[in-house]
Amino acid sequence: MAITIIIASLIICGFLAGIRLMQSPRSALWGNRLGALSMLTAIIYTYIATGHGAPTSTLIYIAIGTLTGFVLGQSVKMIHMPQTVALLNGLGGAASALVAWVALSSSGNKVVFLFTAGLAVAIGALTFSGSVIAVLKLQGLAFRHPVNLKGHGHILRLAILLSLLAVIINSFSPGYSSLTVIAAGLALLAGLLMALRIGGADMPIVISLLNSLSGIAAAVAGIAVENLILTGTGALVGVAGLILTRIMCRAMNRSLLSVLAGFVPTAKKDIDSGDRETLDKESGQPGVAETPEKPTLEFIINDAQKIIIVPGYGMAVAQAQMAVRELVDTLEAQGKEVKFAIHPVAGRMPGHMNVLLAEAGIDYDKLLDMDTINPQFEHADLVIAIGACDVINPAANSAENTPITGMPILEAEKARHIIICNLDEKPGYSGVDNLLYSKLNVTTIWGNASETVPELTARLKNHK
Amino acid sequence: MLTSILIILIASALFGYRIISAVPALLHTPLMSGMNALSGITVIGALTVFISAPAEAAGWAAAALILATINVVGGFWVTERMLRMFKGKKSEGEVETPWQ
């Protein structure tokens, strides 16, 4: 007993130390490896501890899982990271639900055991079905637009309540297969309903929430099977997911409840990623809109020394990361200083933009978060926004009663000049017109960023 | 047993909260995929229930084991791949110089 507690504490400390190393990009790789090592230790310890009974077949199943996991991890593209994480969340949730399901079928009739095991089945099932829908949406396979059924919210709440009720009844008068199946079925339905009506830009919040739920499912399953390591580690994941959910909600000016309730900021000009991608293909005409009284692009850029680039999801959709990198290289070759301003929701999951830019070979020293970069905009000669709209819209500070009112934004408006490379002049996801577009010190370049950015780079090179 | 489980649950949540909150936004995606791998810890739960599982539930236990292992290995490997791409020129301790 005592030895179990000590070993469990050590393994959880291993995970915590791994996360501690993730606080810096220099040590993060080792943090991940320490986490993997702790995981391996936990598995080996569990295998030995139950060794007298664990059949050899378990090793075969582990081998199958390892191979599949490795192939999956090796083959995914960085742009597809949100759906990969969503998929893995779903698998983890399903595994926890199955563990609790098997435990229910074999042992125990204590109330605590029955309740936690039933709860783990329900949470795991909800995580699984919610994740499946999230993957389909993110991969663009189905439900690209939010689906809102008649009485959606009522059915969702009812499904969750009834599922919980089935779990509770089962804890006091166990009827293993029937009641647990009902609880699981209702939870699956709840997960489907919850994810179906989420819009594209709200995905970072939902992925974070599903991440948290997969941890909570593991923790609750851990209580059921009386496993300290499972409980502690599940709690870590649950907390991490909740922290990220809160950060994403704040950055998007949404409350978690309004996202889950399927509340879309505005219905009139609702543009989500699905629409944007179709637009890319149909009318990706690059065109430079310059009004005569404005100085030429070449002049503006040549005149600038301190430049901040604001990348948005539109850049990622246009796959323009490499083009942006070439632009940065060109600017730096001309002796200019370049920094990136990364808004917390510039992507489809927390921190996604940083990964995409790192993949394009851009130093992480140049990737600055909102709080670091905001005081520096007023000293910048030039801001180049690429596929970013809502996150630089000053309407967030000045306008009243819009979906983005009060949303923290990158203060690009404070720079001396702004160049905006967006697909078109339609507003972003929020549907609020960007106040920057009409300002005198703003030059807009409409078109697909994978064409307009290289064009800009070429003009700079020729000008020199 | 329930007491020690509750203690470890609360302690992990509290320490986790402190340490995870300090991870910079730069690394939030690898953080999430790494935590994602950790949620595959349920692989040890699957191992534990495997032995006591009655014959009719053995298939479910096997499925749990496979899914959880995919979660663990896939999660850690994508995190490894992502973090390998993060490169910086500044040395340890050198901080961002803000424009004045």
Side-chain angles (χ1 to χ4, degrees):
Chain A
M1 181 64 200
I3 191 92
T4 321
I5 296 178
I6 292 169
I7 289 178
S9 309
L10 281 177
I11 286 172
I12 289 167
C13 284
F15 289 139
L16 284 169
I19 303 168
R20 174 72 185 76
L21 289 174
M22 279 216 179
Q23 288 176 4
S24 159
R26 283 170 203 87
S27 53
L29 195 49
W30 290 104
N32 184 50
R33 288 169 185 167
L34 181 58
L37 186 71
S38 307
M39 178 68 77
L40 187 65
T41 315
I43 294 171
I44 292 173
Y45 166 72
T46 309
Y47 194 82
I48 293 170
T50 58
H52 49 274
T56 332
S57 61
T58 53
L59 288 178
I60 298 170
Y61 297 129
I62 289 180
I64 295 172
T66 305
L67 194 68
T68 318
F70 180 76
V71 171
L72 177 78
Q74 180 64 35
S75 58
V76 296
K77 293 200 179 96
M78 291 302 148
I79 183 85
H80 295 145
M81 205 46 76
Q83 46 268 54
T84 308
V85 169
L87 176 69
L88 293 172
N89 279 336
L91 297 186
S96 292
L98 289 175
V99 165
W101 171 262
V102 175
L104 270 174
S105 72
S106 52
S107 63
N109 51 9
K110 279 188 292 183
V111 174
V112 174
F113 165 75
L114 291 167
F115 178 69
T116 49
L119 198 60
V121 169
I123 299 175
L126 185 146
T127 312
F128 175 68
S129 62
S131 300
V132 169
I133 299 295
V135 171
L136 291 176
K137 274 176 180 271
L138 286 161
Q139 190 69 32
L141 292 174
F143 315 116
R144 288 170 104 186
H145 302 280
V147 178
N148 234 323
L149 304 171
K150 221 178 170 186
H152 202 111
H154 295 300
I155 307 174
L156 173 58
R157 280 187 289 273
L158 199 65
I160 292 176
L161 271 176
L162 289 178
S163 175
L164 202 61
L165 195 66
V167 170
I168 293 171
I169 295 174
N170 190 55
S171 336
F172 292 101
S173 54
Y176 158 63
S177 35
S178 53
L179 277 171
T180 317
V181 168
I182 292 171
L186 287 166
L188 284 171
L189 177 69
L192 287 179
L193 290 173
M194 189 186 88
L196 268 175
R197 62 177 178 186
I198 305 286
D202 284 334
M203 271 304 166
I205 299 177
V206 177
I207 296 177
S208 310
L209 186 68
L210 289 169
N211 192 227
S212 178
L213 284 175
S214 73
I216 293 172
V220 178
I223 301 176
V225 300
E226 301 197 333
N227 188 313
L228 293 170
I229 307 174
L230 188 49
T231 310
T233 315
L236 278 181
V237 181
V239 166
L242 287 179
I243 292 174
L244 291 172
T245 309
R246 200 183 56 183
I247 295 175
M248 290 299 107
C249 280
R250 263 191 208 159
M252 292 190 67
N253 209 27
R254 308 288 307 272
S255 77
L256 181 57
L257 280 178
S258 79
V259 173
L260 292 182
F263 169 74
V264 182
T266 173
K268 58 182 168 78
K269 294 170 186 169
D270 174 22
I271 298 176
D272 77 355
S273 64
D275 290 343
R276 284 187 183 280
E277 275 170 278
T278 19
L279 279 170
D280 276 352
K281 285 167 201 145
E282 285 163 8
S283 61
Q285 286 179 347
V288 180
E290 286 173 61
T291 37
E293 69 268 27
K294 286 184 181 177
T296 65
L297 276 175
E298 286 89 343
F299 180 80
I300 296 165
I301 298 178
N302 267 320
D303 199 34
Q305 176 59 28
K306 294 170 175 172
I307 302 174
I308 296 176
I309 297 181
V310 180
Y313 189 66
M315 184 211 75
V317 171
Q319 286 287 301
Q321 296 92 299
M322 283 312 292
V324 170
R325 194 232 157 129
E326 276 162 36
L327 175 66
V328 174
D329 288 348
T330 312
L331 291 170
E332 288 186 334
Q334 295 177 357
K336 302 179 190 306
E337 297 170 62
V338 183
K339 293 179 179 183
F340 281 82
I342 314 284
H343 194 272
V345 291
R348 281 294 178 267
M349 70 181 290
H352 193 199
M353 186 57 68
N354 297 300
V355 174
L356 297 176
L357 293 174
E359 187 189 21
I362 293 165
D363 277 0
Y364 60 70
D365 302 311
K366 295 196 190 94
L367 311 178
L368 304 176
D369 60 30
M370 188 162 61
D371 294 339
T372 315
I373 197 75
N374 261 349
Q376 302 188 39
F377 274 107
E378 57 184 302
H379 305 293
D381 304 313
L382 175 64
V383 164
I384 305 177
I386 303 165
C389 188
D390 287 337
V391 297
I392 51 169
N393 191 351
N397 295 328
S398 58
E400 280 173 27
N401 298 323
T402 73
I404 59 170
T405 302
M407 178 174 115
I409 56 159
L410 295 164
E411 292 163 2
E413 57 170 331
K414 291 189 176 160
R416 205 148 57 88
H417 203 106
I418 305 170
I419 296 175
I420 298 179
C421 304
N422 282 357
L423 186 61
D424 49 41
E425 51 191 319
K426 285 187 183 138
Y429 178 70
S430 70
V432 182
D433 286 321
N434 197 325
L435 299 184
L436 288 179
Y437 290 175
S438 54
K439 287 180 76 176
L440 260 185
N441 63 337
V442 175
T443 311
T444 50
I445 303 176
W446 307 124
N448 189 325
S450 62
E451 292 166 28
T452 54
V453 175
E455 196 184 85
L456 192 62
T457 313
R459 282 175 66 171
L460 281 180
K461 282 182 177 160
N462 292 339
H463 185 73
K464 203 178 136 194
Chain B
M1 191 63 187
L2 192 61
T3 324
S4 22
I5 287 183
L6 288 179
I7 289 173
I8 215 152
L9 177 79
I10 293 164
S12 302
L14 290 179
F15 280 109
Y17 183 83
R18 286 194 62 142
I19 296 180
I20 296 159
S21 298
V23 174
L26 175 73
L27 296 174
H28 274 168
T29 295
L31 169 72
M32 190 182 264
S33 60
M35 296 313 289
N36 191 282
L38 291 198
S39 73
I41 187 71
T42 202
V43 70
I44 66 171
L47 272 176
T48 321
V49 295
F50 208 100
I51 307 144
S52 51
E56 75 268 15
W60 294 117
L65 199 51
I66 293 177
L67 293 182
T69 317
I70 295 176
N71 190 185
V72 168
V73 178
F76 279 125
W77 190 245
V78 290
T79 312
E80 168 87 18
R81 277 182 61 209
M82 261 189 276
L83 289 172
R84 276 187 193 169
M85 296 183 322
F86 278 83
K87 295 203 169 66
K89 291 202 179 71
K90 290 203 171 86
S91 54
E92 186 73 57
E94 210 177 332
V95 286
E96 221 273 318
T97 28
W99 288 334
Q100 299 291 337

